[in-house]
Structure formats: structure tokens, C-alpha cells
Amino acid sequence: MLKSRYLIIIILLALLIISLSGQELNQLSIVGKATRPAGEIVPGDKLDANKNQAALISFITDLDVDMDFRPWNGVVGEITNPAMGRWNVYVSPGERAIDVHAEGFEPLKVVLSSFGINSLKSGDVYHLKITGEKKAEQIPVMISSNQSGAKVIVDGDEMGSTVNKMLAIKLNSGEQRIKIQKDGFASQEIIENVSLTNYSFHFDLVPAMPAVVKITSDPEGASVTIDGNMKLGITPLQNFYDAGTYDIRIEKENYETIDDQITITEPETEKQYILTDIRASLTVKTSADATVKINDKEYKGGIKDLVMLPQTISFKIEQEYCETIEETYTLKKGEKKTFELYPEDISASLTVKTHANATVKFNGESYKGGFTNKKVAPQVLNITVEMPKAESLNRVITLKPKADETIEMYPEVQSGTIQVMCIPTDAKIELKGDAGEFYTAVGRKTFTEVPVGSYELIVSAESHKTHKEDFSLDADNTVVKQITLEVGSDAPEGMVFVEGGTFQMGSNDGNKDEKPVHSVTIKDFYIGKNEVTQGEYQAVMGKNWSSFKKSGNDAPVENVSWYDAVQFCNSLSDKEWLDRCYSGSGDNIKCNFNANGYRLPTEAEWEYAARGGNKSKGYKYSGSNDIGNVAWYGDNSGSKTHAVGSKQANELEIYDMSGNVWEWCWDLYGDYSILEGINPKGPTSGTSRVNRGGSWSSSASYCRVDSRSVSNPGDNYRYMGFRLVRSLK
């Protein structure tokens, strides 16, 4: 036993000698670059050997040691230590390097230019921050135990196992947590202050058996880890674990982690832990239009009681036309922090004056005729003003915060004068230029400063034919136009102009397929004043299928299918050198509603015209509530057709839209769609086609303006005819 003690002493002395002889000196270092403090000056009595005013290098340090400084060109006066952590070294102008010496540290050569001090001049003052890292002192330590093979753990790091019941290691001086453990034995742990006089530690391990461990927490659901990395379970828990002293960790999201020691004893050990909620709450009050940006998320109008873990947060508050606010703050555990930050409006006001038909452009936006007091963010603006037939103007302005700027930019363009006088004196005058210019007046007008170019003159009046002509205007010239309109109509021969509008289509009092009543908007169009007659059909097609030929050439053609009507429309268009509306054949016939040729009316156009268009008086039949005044139908026709236009016309001067013959429409038959409210053209699928208006054989109910009927497009009956329509250009 005595020999073992001597052996331990000899080993420890040897380790101590080796440790002390191998220690290295600590290192000094300069932190960052030199700085020049505002307001510091070199005293006037600090002169170097050449009678020049000295410069000052002030070393700022966190080291509590004696220091010495040796400039290469020598020190001017004394090195002073006016305050804890500050050393003032006065040097000659032009000094390039200083050697720094500190107790316990390697000397450091400071080349001034390496830290931003170049061409040091008289009176210059610079601060340099100097620090040093001390190496921890290593102490030889002997761990002994009554067991070989016992594992030694220091501050969580495994250091080895005892051999012959001993283990020699080196530890840093100061407080250390030393633990020893071996399977089948209760582990032991001590906390000791390791030093040159306290370096030997002995452990007597005793046999152990598992004990019952009960861990609870408030709140529950915490994860329990014991002995470094052994997962014991989730609270509340009961488990078996070897008796001994162990590190234990209690963790739960959003709660402060508890690191503790637990001593487990037989037969049972119970312990409770109270967890502390570490979450903080953040509220940012700001303008309703402002956006708070934090952690890659945006919050419009601010933040209220946002729960966050303690952390350093950086956030921005942005609002259009306002200066951005940036804040950094460290949220503490459990803190409820409220900011009130309202961005300041720094917008500028900009007015750009220019011609009415000029366009101002900047930042991708366009403004016709300029603008007044437009709110704009402070910036450098490149403004362009463009106007037809004029050279563009460009201007760059700097809008400062809260500025109020007005600029005038009038592109120059050559112009002339146009004088228009009309009969009748209430005629509407329209001038359309080739660059989008548009002028309007009534009766007579002298248009001045009109840009040069080509113009279309349109003069129109009710009950008169519209006059159109093109002409050119040259610079500084005056064009005079005296227009006398011809009495009449612009509608093609035999047709009536129907001004577009919105009406309620269908009926809630009629048949099921007339429902629901729904709003429909129709564009302008022309419609035949009369149904197509037998004479007209014979002249175009060279044949007449009608059953009532005895009714004469002025009676409506009948006994024609929908396909026959479509073919007639195209043939008449060809004859008058108009564009065909229809293409394809059979079930694949398509209609080009933009073509200027003849076509069948859509069902909506037919009903709008039958009701009297925008002149409608709401009659039940087309033109009257008394069917006998406007229609040849079952009670008065004598079972035959009659000459078109022999009954009273409706509000638009259209005849026979109630009675005489049913009239084919373009539409496929189907239920009304309340979604298709503008120029509806009927369903996109189906097999049958709509016909409207009733006939010589119909009862009065079928002659109503809202009554609907349907037939296969290939069917031809002696009560079936049609009426023509043309689209406006």
C-alpha cells in the first residue's frame, strides 16, 4: 500500500514538471482598425526631439496587466495610464511601428499602416484596441477508485477508465465536475476546485440496483434526459434507473430548459419540476396602410400580441410615400413589448401641365392631358411627354421629400383651322384625326389649333342621311366645309336602323321556356322593314317554294327551311358585293357577325326589334295591344298569307313581326342563359333552331313578342318564312 502511494506521488510530480515546462506564453492581438475620436487633441507641450508637436496613439485594452510600449523612433515624454484600460503613447510624426509588451504575453509588433494609420502627422490622435487570450492552466490530476475499469467523465467529456484502480489526467485549473461510473455500481459525482494543491480525488463505488424514478412537471409533456443522452421519457413518467447521482435535463418547447442533478436512491425517487414559459409577446401599433415585415412575414396594419421566443428581432415598417422605419430589439423571456411607430408621409406633390391630347409618361404609367397635385414618392424622375405629330419632350427632375413641384411641358406641333357649317343647324359634327384627334360640335364650329394631318368629317341629324368625307389639313391653312344633309335614312334600302340598348327579355307569365325574365344589351343593327317576299326570293334564288303563290309576289315567302334562309342571305350578299356572313354547311355552319352582308337575326335582336327597341311602349304584340291592328293570324287571315306591310307597323316602323309567317332566327334552341347578357347568340350546342312571331295559322298567344317556337333546321312549312338583318360597320 505504501509503495502505491509513493508511485502516485512520483507520477504526479513528473506530470507537474512536464506541464510547467511545456506551457506557452499567451498571445496579444489588435482588434479591428484604428479609429480617430472626435474632439481629442494632443497637448501643446508634447514635442519630439525636432521640436515638432507629437502624435498620440491611445491603446484601449481589457487586460488587467502591466504594459510597456516601445516606438521605433522613441517615445515623446512619458507613457501615461490616465484610466483603467487605457495607455497613452506619444510618438513622433511619421512613426511606423510600436512594440507592445505585457506581463504573461508574447511581445507584439504593431505596424501602424496595417491598422489604417498611414502618414502619421503632428497632432493626430488614434485609438487602437488591444486584447489577449490567456491559455487555461493545465493541472496534473490523479483519479483513484476502489474499482478498475471505472469510467471517468469531466464536465461531460469522457477522460478514460481507471487502470489498476487509477487514472492520471490533465485538467484546467478551476471548478470541475468529476463523475465516475461503472456498470453494477452507483455512479458518483463531485464538484471540485482543481489547483496545484487540490489535484487528487478518490471514489469508493458501491454496488447498486435499479430504483424506481418518478418525474413530474408543470406543465406536463416535458422530455426528460438523464446522464447525458439517455432518454428517460415524457412527463409524467415512471421508470427504472440505477441508483446514483446524474445530470438531468427537462425540456419542453416554449419553456426554459432545466439542467439539474438528481440523486437516485433505492427503492424510489420522486421529483417535480416547475417549467417557466419563456415566450414573449410583441405588439406593433402603426398606420392601417402600413406593413410590418418581420422574419420573412408581412403584417398589414401592425401586429397585436404576436407570441415569439426570446430573440433579437429586426423589423421594418413600410408604407407607400412614407419613410421606412427600421428597428432592432431583443425580446426577453416573458416580456410583453409594445411599439408605437407611425411612418411619416414624405411624399412630394407633382403637377405636369401640357396639351389636352398629349400623354405624360413616367415610372411605366401614362396620363392623358397631364395631371394636377399627383402624390409621388421622393425620387429622381424621368418624365416624357408625347403628342401625335409632335417631337417628344424629356425632362429629369429630382423630387425631394414633401416637395411641391409644377412643370410645364408643351410639345410643339404644326396646326391649322377647320370651319364647319351645317344644314340643318342642329346637325351633329364629328372630326376624327389620323392620330386619334377627336372634335365635336353642333350646327357650326370653327376648330382652331388643329394638328395637321388627315381627318374624317361626319355630319349627322335625325331623319337625314349621314354625310362623311375625308380631307387633309396643312400647316397654317384653313379648311371650310359647308354641308347640307339630304333628307332620308342611312339604313340600307328596305331596312330600318335599330339603335342598341338594354331591355328585359322573356316573360314570367308565358310558357316555361320564356322564363326567366333577364336583362340583355343589344348593339346597333339594321333589320328588314318587311319579311322577305316571294318576289325577292324568286329574284335572288330563281325559284319560289311558296304554297300561297296566289297571295302574290308581295306576300312573304314561306315553305323555306332554315338552310334555305341561310343560303338566300349569302346569295344576296354576293349579288350586292357584300361579305358573306355564313360559312360551312349542315351542322357546321358558322356566322361572322362582323361581316357587312345579310344574315338572320339572333333571337335577342328579333325580340328587341319586335318590342320597339328603345322606343318601346311595352305592347303585348309588336306595335299594339290589339292584335288585329298589327297581325294576320288564325282569326283574321282566312287561312293564308297576305301582302307584307298591310297591317300597322310597330314603334320602329317594322311590319308583320306578329303574324303572317313564323320567322327563322340564328339561335339554337335552349333555355335562357342569364349570364350571357350582351349580344347573346344562343346556346353553343343543340340541333333545333328558334323561330319567332307566330303566323297566319297561329292563335293570338303565339303572336306575342315574347313567345318562342322551335323547328328542325331542315323543316319547311307553309307558315315558315324569315326576315333579314345586317350588322353595322
Side-chain angles (χ1 to χ4, degrees):
M1 185 69 180
L2 187 59
K3 290 182 178 180
S4 296
R5 291 182 181 274
Y6 282 129
L7 180 59
I8 292 172
I9 293 171
I10 292 170
I11 292 172
L12 286 173
L13 286 172
L15 288 172
L16 182 60
I17 293 170
I18 293 170
S19 175
L20 292 174
S21 64
Q23 286 186 348
E24 299 178 0
L25 290 175
N26 303 310
Q27 300 294 318
L28 293 171
S29 62
I30 299 295
V31 180
K33 295 288 186 179
T35 59
R36 298 192 69 170
E40 286 196 31
I41 59 175
V42 176
D45 61 348
K46 297 296 183 181
L47 303 177
D48 67 4
N50 297 319
K51 305 298 183 180
N52 294 319
Q53 187 180 19
L56 170 61
I57 307 297
S58 186
F59 287 87
I60 312 299
T61 183
D62 56 359
L63 300 175
D64 187 16
V65 296
D66 285 334
M67 304 187 76
D68 186 28
F69 302 88
R70 302 173 187 175
W72 287 16
N73 293 336
V75 179
V76 177
E78 296 180 354
I79 296 173
T80 63
N81 184 207
M84 180 67 71
R86 178 168 178 172
W87 297 84
N88 287 341
V89 182
Y90 294 94
V91 298
S92 297
E95 182 63 73
R96 293 183 296 116
I98 300 174
D99 290 333
V100 182
H101 298 261
E103 184 180 352
F105 291 87
E106 287 269 5
L108 176 65
K109 177 182 177 181
V110 180
V111 178
L112 299 182
S113 61
S114 298
F115 302 99
I117 304 176
N118 299 298
S119 302
L120 193 63
K121 299 180 180 62
S122 294
D124 285 350
V125 178
Y126 286 92
H127 285 188
L128 275 172
K129 187 175 181 180
I130 187 168
T131 189
E133 182 180 354
K134 289 188 176 182
K135 294 180 171 53
E137 185 179 8
Q138 292 273 296
I139 304 295
V141 173
M142 178 60 69
I143 306 297
S144 61
S145 171
N146 62 340
Q147 298 292 324
S148 294
K151 186 185 298 182
V152 177
I153 300 170
V154 179
D155 286 339
D157 295 326
E158 187 174 330
M159 308 301 293
S161 299
T162 55
V163 178
N164 294 326
K165 303 179 181 179
M166 293 185 300
L167 176 65
I169 57 177
K170 292 175 72 175
L171 299 178
N172 292 334
S173 60
E175 187 177 276
Q176 303 284 356
R177 176 178 290 181
I178 304 172
K179 182 177 182 179
I180 188 167
Q181 62 185 36
K182 183 177 181 180
D183 291 344
F185 292 84
S187 62
Q188 293 185 26
E189 184 173 309
I190 60 173
I191 297 176
E192 288 286 345
N193 191 13
V194 176
S195 66
L196 292 175
T197 59
N198 187 32
Y199 52 80
S200 179
F201 309 102
H202 182 75
F203 296 88
D204 284 321
L205 298 178
V206 297
M209 63 180 296
V212 175
V213 182
K214 294 182 179 180
I215 306 293
T216 59
S217 68
D218 182 13
E220 298 178 345
S223 174
V224 180
T225 305
I226 193 170
D227 200 18
N229 56 9
M230 181 64 68
K231 299 289 186 181
L232 199 59
I234 304 296
T235 61
L237 65 82
Q238 292 187 78
N239 215 330
F240 290 101
Y241 211 80
D242 289 342
T245 300
Y246 303 95
D247 289 332
I248 188 170
R249 170 168 286 191
I250 315 297
E251 296 177 291
K252 183 176 175 63
E253 187 177 9
N254 300 326
Y255 289 84
E256 189 169 12
T257 297
I258 297 177
D259 286 307
D260 194 20
Q261 269 197 333
I262 185 171
T263 299
I264 300 174
T265 58
E266 302 174 27
E268 180 179 288
T269 298
E270 183 173 356
K271 197 162 186 179
Q272 183 184 30
Y273 292 93
I274 306 298
L275 300 176
T276 301
D277 192 335
I278 62 172
R279 289 174 291 185
S281 172
L282 175 65
T283 295
V284 180
K285 296 180 180 179
T286 188
S287 307
D289 293 331
T291 299
V292 182
K293 296 182 177 180
I294 181 172
N295 292 347
D296 298 325
K297 291 186 178 180
E298 297 185 359
Y299 302 88
K300 186 75 172 181
I303 298 172
K304 183 177 181 182
D305 297 329
L306 177 64
V307 176
M308 307 179 71
L309 290 175
Q311 59 184 287
T312 298
I313 56 172
S314 295
F315 61 91
K316 294 182 179 180
I317 301 178
E318 298 177 349
Q319 185 176 347
E320 190 176 17
Y321 307 120
C322 295
E323 191 167 11
T324 298
I325 299 175
E326 298 188 37
E327 287 285 338
T328 298
Y329 184 77
T330 300
L331 285 172
K332 303 175 185 65
K333 296 176 184 178
E335 181 180 14
K336 292 186 177 181
K337 180 63 179 178
T338 297
F339 291 93
E340 292 193 22
L341 302 169
Y342 294 88
E344 180 184 3
D345 189 340
I346 58 171
S347 63
S349 176
L350 177 63
T351 297
V352 178
K353 297 181 179 180
T354 188
H355 297 295
N357 61 336
T359 301
V360 181
K361 295 183 176 180
F362 69 91
N363 288 351
E365 301 289 338
S366 298
Y367 305 89
K368 191 68 176 283
F371 50 81
T372 302
N373 296 329
K374 180 171 180 59
K375 198 172 185 179
V376 182
Q379 59 187 289
V380 176
L381 276 183
N382 190 338
I383 301 175
T384 300
V385 177
E386 299 175 350
M387 190 172 74
K389 305 169 186 176
E391 188 174 348
S392 297
L393 299 180
N394 290 284
R395 186 169 172 182
V396 177
I397 65 170
T398 299
L399 283 178
K400 297 180 179 179
K402 301 184 179 181
D404 188 355
E405 294 282 348
T406 298
I407 61 174
E408 296 185 359
M409 300 177 70
Y410 290 92
E412 293 186 6
V413 62
Q414 292 182 315
S415 64
T417 300
I418 299 174
Q419 187 179 76
V420 183
M421 295 164 281
C422 304
I423 298 175
T425 56
D426 62 350
K428 181 181 179 181
I429 302 169
E430 292 180 295
L431 269 177
K432 298 180 180 179
D434 56 2
E437 300 94 343
F438 182 76
Y439 304 90
T440 184
V442 174
R444 58 194 293 127
K445 177 73 174 181
T446 299
F447 302 97
T448 59
E449 296 186 7
V450 179
V452 298
S454 298
Y455 287 85
E456 180 186 23
L457 172 63
I458 304 170
V459 180
S460 59
E462 188 173 357
S463 301
H464 291 76
K465 293 184 178 181
T466 299
H467 173 84
K468 295 183 179 181
E469 67 171 290
D470 296 328
F471 62 89
S472 295
L473 177 66
D474 297 325
D476 302 322
N477 280 0
T478 298
V479 174
V480 178
K481 296 292 180 180
Q482 295 178 341
I483 309 298
T484 300
L485 296 181
E486 180 182 350
V487 176
S489 170
D490 290 329
E493 185 177 354
M495 304 195 88
V496 173
F497 171 71
V498 181
E499 184 178 9
T502 299
F503 75 107
Q504 298 301 305
M505 185 173 179
S507 171
N508 288 328
D509 300 323
N511 297 322
K512 181 180 178 181
D513 65 352
E514 299 169 21
K515 303 173 183 179
V517 173
H518 54 289
S519 181
V520 172
T521 299
I522 298 296
K523 293 198 303 185
D524 298 349
F525 64 99
Y526 296 117
I527 191 168
K529 180 181 293 188
N530 296 302
E531 296 160 327
V532 175
T533 66
Q534 294 183 35
E536 290 168 336
Y537 193 87
Q538 176 72 42
V540 174
M541 305 305 294
K543 52 192 172 185
N544 179 11
W545 306 110
S546 299
S547 297
F548 297 105
K549 290 185 177 66
K550 291 183 180 180
S551 294
N553 283 338
D554 290 336
V557 69
E558 22 79 18
N559 216 14
V560 289
S561 69
W562 185 85
Y563 295 122
D564 293 332
V566 166
Q567 186 179 9
F568 178 87
C569 290
N570 276 352
S571 296
L572 183 57
S573 296
D574 293 343
K575 186 176 181 179
E576 296 185 7
W577 299 96
L578 300 173
D579 296 329
R580 286 187 171 196
C581 291
Y582 297 110
S583 60
S585 61
D587 294 338
N588 295 315
I589 292 177
K590 307 294 182 185
C591 181
N592 178 8
F593 288 89
N594 294 319
N596 63 359
Y598 294 95
R599 61 180 176 84
L600 297 176
T602 65
E603 186 177 15
E605 287 173 333
W606 190 97
E607 185 171 325
Y608 181 64
R611 288 178 178 273
N614 58 13
K615 297 181 180 180
S616 176
K617 296 180 180 179
Y619 293 135
K620 184 176 183 179
Y621 309 103
S622 184
S624 177
N625 287 326
D626 185 344
I627 188 172
N629 291 337
V630 293
W632 295 108
Y633 73 114
D635 288 354
N636 68 1
S637 68
S639 299
K640 64 179 182 179
T641 60
H642 293 263
V644 299
S646 56
K647 285 288 185 179
Q648 179 181 307
N650 76 354
E651 299 93 322
L652 295 176
E653 297 298 318
I654 307 172
Y655 295 88
D656 298 308
M657 294 202 81
S658 290
N660 222 354
V661 289
W662 286 96
E663 298 180 14
W664 286 110
C665 294
W666 159 257
D667 304 41
L668 291 163
Y669 179 77
D671 292 335
Y672 283 145
S673 171
I674 62 174
L675 299 179
E676 190 183 8
I678 300 178
N679 298 309
K681 299 175 178 62
T684 57
S685 62
T687 57
S688 301
R689 297 285 175 172
V690 171
N691 43 73
R692 286 294 208 111
S695 75
W696 56 267
S697 66
S698 301
S699 65
S701 176
Y702 287 110
C703 297
R704 291 179 293 110
V705 292
D706 38 35
S707 177
R708 307 177 73 200
S709 186
V710 58
S711 298
N712 290 322
D715 291 346
N716 54 313
Y717 302 105
R718 60 180 184 164
Y719 49 75
M720 193 76 71
F722 64 97
R723 184 186 302 266
L724 299 177
V725 161
R726 283 181 64 181
S727 300
L728 268 68
K729 292 182 181 179

